[in-house]
PDB file of all heavy atoms in Angstrom:
ATOM      1  N   GLN A 144       7.950   5.645  23.522  1.00  0.00           N
ATOM      2  CA  GLN A 144       6.863   4.656  23.538  1.00  0.00           C
ATOM      3  C   GLN A 144       7.397   3.314  23.041  1.00  0.00           C
ATOM      4  O   GLN A 144       7.276   2.993  21.862  1.00  0.00           O
ATOM      5  CB  GLN A 144       5.706   5.115  22.661  1.00  0.00           C
ATOM      6  CG  GLN A 144       5.049   6.390  23.140  1.00  0.00           C
ATOM      7  CD  GLN A 144       3.897   6.790  22.237  1.00  0.00           C
ATOM      8  OE1 GLN A 144       3.855   6.451  21.067  1.00  0.00           O
ATOM      9  NE2 GLN A 144       2.954   7.519  22.800  1.00  0.00           N
ATOM     10  N   PRO A 145       7.988   2.508  23.922  1.00  0.00           N
ATOM     11  CA  PRO A 145       8.574   1.228  23.502  1.00  0.00           C
ATOM     12  C   PRO A 145       7.587   0.289  22.796  1.00  0.00           C
ATOM     13  O   PRO A 145       7.989  -0.571  22.027  1.00  0.00           O
ATOM     14  CB  PRO A 145       9.079   0.610  24.804  1.00  0.00           C
ATOM     15  CG  PRO A 145       9.206   1.756  25.752  1.00  0.00           C
ATOM     16  CD  PRO A 145       8.191   2.777  25.338  1.00  0.00           C
ATOM     17  N   GLN A 146       6.296   0.477  23.020  1.00  0.00           N
ATOM     18  CA  GLN A 146       5.307  -0.403  22.396  1.00  0.00           C
ATOM     19  C   GLN A 146       5.258  -0.253  20.873  1.00  0.00           C
ATOM     20  O   GLN A 146       4.695  -1.113  20.191  1.00  0.00           O
ATOM     21  CB  GLN A 146       3.912  -0.209  23.008  1.00  0.00           C
ATOM     22  CG  GLN A 146       3.272   1.129  22.754  1.00  0.00           C
ATOM     23  CD  GLN A 146       3.595   2.188  23.803  1.00  0.00           C
ATOM     24  OE1 GLN A 146       4.597   2.102  24.508  1.00  0.00           O
ATOM     25  NE2 GLN A 146       2.751   3.200  23.888  1.00  0.00           N
ATOM     26  N   ILE A 147       5.892   0.789  20.305  1.00  0.00           N
ATOM     27  CA  ILE A 147       5.874   0.910  18.837  1.00  0.00           C
ATOM     28  C   ILE A 147       6.642  -0.226  18.167  1.00  0.00           C
ATOM     29  O   ILE A 147       6.477  -0.467  16.983  1.00  0.00           O
ATOM     30  CB  ILE A 147       6.397   2.264  18.318  1.00  0.00           C
ATOM     31  CG1 ILE A 147       7.890   2.404  18.586  1.00  0.00           C
ATOM     32  CG2 ILE A 147       5.596   3.425  18.861  1.00  0.00           C
ATOM     33  CD1 ILE A 147       8.561   3.446  17.731  1.00  0.00           C
ATOM     34  N   ALA A 148       7.461  -0.939  18.942  1.00  0.00           N
ATOM     35  CA  ALA A 148       8.194  -2.070  18.365  1.00  0.00           C
ATOM     36  C   ALA A 148       7.237  -3.174  17.928  1.00  0.00           C
ATOM     37  O   ALA A 148       7.537  -3.907  16.977  1.00  0.00           O
ATOM     38  CB  ALA A 148       9.200  -2.622  19.371  1.00  0.00           C
ATOM     39  N   ASP A 149       6.081  -3.286  18.581  1.00  0.00           N
ATOM     40  CA  ASP A 149       5.142  -4.372  18.301  1.00  0.00           C
ATOM     41  C   ASP A 149       3.752  -3.915  17.880  1.00  0.00           C
ATOM     42  O   ASP A 149       2.932  -4.749  17.496  1.00  0.00           O
ATOM     43  CB  ASP A 149       4.990  -5.255  19.547  1.00  0.00           C
ATOM     44  CG  ASP A 149       6.309  -5.871  19.971  1.00  0.00           C
ATOM     45  OD1 ASP A 149       7.021  -6.392  19.094  1.00  0.00           O
ATOM     46  OD2 ASP A 149       6.638  -5.805  21.166  1.00  0.00           O
ATOM     47  N   ASN A 150       3.465  -2.630  17.988  1.00  0.00           N
ATOM     48  CA  ASN A 150       2.115  -2.134  17.722  1.00  0.00           C
ATOM     49  C   ASN A 150       2.085  -1.169  16.546  1.00  0.00           C
ATOM     50  O   ASN A 150       3.000  -0.367  16.367  1.00  0.00           O
ATOM     51  CB  ASN A 150       1.555  -1.422  18.965  1.00  0.00           C
ATOM     52  CG  ASN A 150       1.375  -2.371  20.125  1.00  0.00           C
ATOM     53  OD1 ASN A 150       0.807  -3.443  19.972  1.00  0.00           O
ATOM     54  ND2 ASN A 150       1.880  -1.981  21.283  1.00  0.00           N
ATOM     55  N   ALA A 151       1.005  -1.239  15.799  1.00  0.00           N
ATOM     56  CA  ALA A 151       0.824  -0.336  14.664  1.00  0.00           C
ATOM     57  C   ALA A 151       0.652   1.097  15.157  1.00  0.00           C
ATOM     58  O   ALA A 151       0.090   1.341  16.226  1.00  0.00           O
ATOM     59  CB  ALA A 151      -0.394  -0.759  13.859  1.00  0.00           C
ATOM     60  N   VAL A 152       1.154   2.043  14.365  1.00  0.00           N
ATOM     61  CA  VAL A 152       0.951   3.459  14.670  1.00  0.00           C
ATOM     62  C   VAL A 152      -0.298   3.992  13.974  1.00  0.00           C
ATOM     63  O   VAL A 152      -0.764   5.087  14.283  1.00  0.00           O
ATOM     64  CB  VAL A 152       2.194   4.309  14.300  1.00  0.00           C
ATOM     65  CG1 VAL A 152       3.389   3.909  15.158  1.00  0.00           C
ATOM     66  CG2 VAL A 152       2.526   4.205  12.820  1.00  0.00           C
ATOM     67  N   ASP A 153      -0.827   3.213  13.014  1.00  0.00           N
ATOM     68  CA  ASP A 153      -2.039   3.607  12.299  1.00  0.00           C
ATOM     69  C   ASP A 153      -2.716   2.336  11.765  1.00  0.00           C
ATOM     70  O   ASP A 153      -2.035   1.456  11.241  1.00  0.00           O
ATOM     71  CB  ASP A 153      -1.690   4.550  11.137  1.00  0.00           C
ATOM     72  CG  ASP A 153      -2.919   5.056  10.412  1.00  0.00           C
ATOM     73  OD1 ASP A 153      -3.777   5.691  11.055  1.00  0.00           O
ATOM     74  OD2 ASP A 153      -3.030   4.810   9.194  1.00  0.00           O
ATOM     75  N   ILE A 154      -4.021   2.257  11.924  1.00  0.00           N
ATOM     76  CA  ILE A 154      -4.786   1.140  11.361  1.00  0.00           C
ATOM     77  C   ILE A 154      -5.982   1.725  10.626  1.00  0.00           C
ATOM     78  O   ILE A 154      -6.705   2.569  11.167  1.00  0.00           O
ATOM     79  CB  ILE A 154      -5.279   0.174  12.460  1.00  0.00           C
ATOM     80  CG1 ILE A 154      -4.086  -0.460  13.175  1.00  0.00           C
ATOM     81  CG2 ILE A 154      -6.190  -0.900  11.860  1.00  0.00           C
ATOM     82  CD1 ILE A 154      -4.462  -1.328  14.356  1.00  0.00           C
ATOM     83  N   ARG A 155      -6.152   1.284   9.388  1.00  0.00           N
ATOM     84  CA  ARG A 155      -7.275   1.745   8.570  1.00  0.00           C
ATOM     85  C   ARG A 155      -7.992   0.544   7.993  1.00  0.00           C
ATOM     86  O   ARG A 155      -7.367  -0.465   7.675  1.00  0.00           O
ATOM     87  CB  ARG A 155      -6.804   2.658   7.444  1.00  0.00           C
ATOM     88  CG  ARG A 155      -6.160   3.918   7.994  1.00  0.00           C
ATOM     89  CD  ARG A 155      -5.635   4.802   6.920  1.00  0.00           C
ATOM     90  NE  ARG A 155      -4.865   5.871   7.540  1.00  0.00           N
ATOM     91  CZ  ARG A 155      -4.986   7.139   7.227  1.00  0.00           C
ATOM     92  NH1 ARG A 155      -5.812   7.498   6.278  1.00  0.00           N
ATOM     93  NH2 ARG A 155      -4.255   8.038   7.831  1.00  0.00           N
ATOM     94  N   THR A 156      -9.298   0.672   7.845  1.00  0.00           N
ATOM     95  CA  THR A 156     -10.074  -0.384   7.215  1.00  0.00           C
ATOM     96  C   THR A 156     -10.802   0.188   6.008  1.00  0.00           C
ATOM     97  O   THR A 156     -11.186   1.365   5.996  1.00  0.00           O
ATOM     98  CB  THR A 156     -11.096  -0.999   8.200  1.00  0.00           C
ATOM     99  OG1 THR A 156     -11.962   0.023   8.663  1.00  0.00           O
ATOM    100  CG2 THR A 156     -10.402  -1.662   9.371  1.00  0.00           C
ATOM    101  N   TYR A 157     -10.936  -0.642   4.988  1.00  0.00           N
ATOM    102  CA  TYR A 157     -11.593  -0.242   3.755  1.00  0.00           C
ATOM    103  C   TYR A 157     -12.524  -1.355   3.297  1.00  0.00           C
ATOM    104  O   TYR A 157     -12.253  -2.535   3.527  1.00  0.00           O
ATOM    105  CB  TYR A 157     -10.564  -0.026   2.629  1.00  0.00           C
ATOM    106  CG  TYR A 157      -9.500   0.997   2.929  1.00  0.00           C
ATOM    107  CD1 TYR A 157      -8.274   0.611   3.490  1.00  0.00           C
ATOM    108  CD2 TYR A 157      -9.703   2.342   2.655  1.00  0.00           C
ATOM    109  CE1 TYR A 157      -7.294   1.544   3.762  1.00  0.00           C
ATOM    110  CE2 TYR A 157      -8.718   3.291   2.935  1.00  0.00           C
ATOM    111  CZ  TYR A 157      -7.520   2.882   3.491  1.00  0.00           C
ATOM    112  OH  TYR A 157      -6.549   3.804   3.761  1.00  0.00           O
TER     113      TYR A 157
END
Side-chain angles (χ1 to χ4, degrees):
Q144 297 181 334
Q146 67 271 23
I147 68 161
D149 300 314
N150 295 311
V152 296
D153 183 59
I154 297 175
R155 297 177 189 227
T156 59
Y157 302 93

